[in-house]
């Protein structure tokens, strides 16, 4: 069975590590997944051109935790119909930030697809990126 060796000489079996990972909240788990993908990408293609590395880093950037948590909280209040007018205005500002972040990420994905001379869907498949569901 695979184990992970930590510098402090602690050794954890892979199934124990996965059990710990399973306890993470979804936002933390998503961040971990992004970081694991970055480690894997560096191992698989250690000689990537600098521009590709830069684009991959930008693609994998997430919103700051505080912004994401505030957005999630206000979105939930909106969904439940208990949002105040001031909170609604704040949510509208956060929506603009989230949409800009999504647009920037898409632009970086397009640039990377063009650099690799492949289609955007093919790049997304290579990077194991799945489109976010649309919430109406």
């Amino acid at each position: 069975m695979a184990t992970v060796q930590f510098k402090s000489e602690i050794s954890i079996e892979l199934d124990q590590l996965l059990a710990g990972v399973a306890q993470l909240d979804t936002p933390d788990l998503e961040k971990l997944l992004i970081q694991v993908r970055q480690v894997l990408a560096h191992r698989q293609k250690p000689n990537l051109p600098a521009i590709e590395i830069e684009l991959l880093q930008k693609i994998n950037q997430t919103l700051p935790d505080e912004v994401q948590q505030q957005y999630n909280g206000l979105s939930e209040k909106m969904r439940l119909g208990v949002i105040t007018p001031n909170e609604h205005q704040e949510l509208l500002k956060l929506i603009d930030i989230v949409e800009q972040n999504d647009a920037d990420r898409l632009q970086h994905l397009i640039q990377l697809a063009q650099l690799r001379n492949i289609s955007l869907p093919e790049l997304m498949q290579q990077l194991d990126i799945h489109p976010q569901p649309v919430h109406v």
Side-chain angles (χ1 to χ4, degrees):
M1 176 158 307
T3 61
V4 176
Q5 184 78 27
F6 292 96
K7 288 184 181 180
S8 63
E9 310 261 340
I10 297 174
S11 184
I12 299 176
E13 291 194 14
L14 185 57
D15 60 346
Q16 292 174 314
L17 179 62
L18 291 173
V21 168
Q23 296 176 25
L24 292 173
D25 293 335
T26 301
D28 291 333
L29 185 57
E30 289 171 343
K31 279 187 171 183
L32 177 63
L33 182 58
I34 288 169
Q35 292 171 345
V36 168
R37 283 183 183 148
Q38 288 176 335
V39 169
L40 188 58
H42 286 302
R43 286 186 181 178
Q44 290 174 339
K45 299 194 180 201
N47 297 323
L48 285 177
I51 185 68
E52 286 195 26
I53 292 171
E54 181 181 337
L55 286 169
L56 285 167
Q57 288 172 340
K58 289 178 179 180
I59 289 165
N60 288 318
Q61 276 183 335
T62 59
L63 289 171
D65 285 341
E66 182 180 311
V67 172
Q68 186 66 56
Q69 289 173 1
Q70 190 176 12
Y71 174 80
N72 292 345
L74 292 174
S75 294
E76 180 66 11
K77 283 186 165 190
M78 180 71 151
R79 189 184 68 74
L80 296 173
V82 296
I83 196 166
T84 67
N86 286 342
E87 289 172 329
H88 186 256
Q89 289 304 310
E90 184 62 27
L91 177 59
L92 292 175
K93 291 176 188 173
L94 291 171
I95 288 171
D96 287 342
I97 292 169
V98 169
E99 287 180 347
Q100 185 61 54
N101 187 61
D102 289 345
D104 291 344
R105 183 174 192 232
L106 180 58
Q107 184 60 42
H108 300 311
L109 284 165
I110 291 168
Q111 289 173 347
L112 184 56
Q114 289 171 340
L115 275 174
R116 293 185 178 181
N117 201 26
I118 59 175
S119 70
L120 181 58
E122 187 177 351
L123 175 70
M124 291 177 69
Q125 184 177 12
Q126 285 180 2
L127 299 177
D128 196 27
I129 295 175
H130 305 284
Q132 295 286 333
V134 177
H135 301 287
V136 184

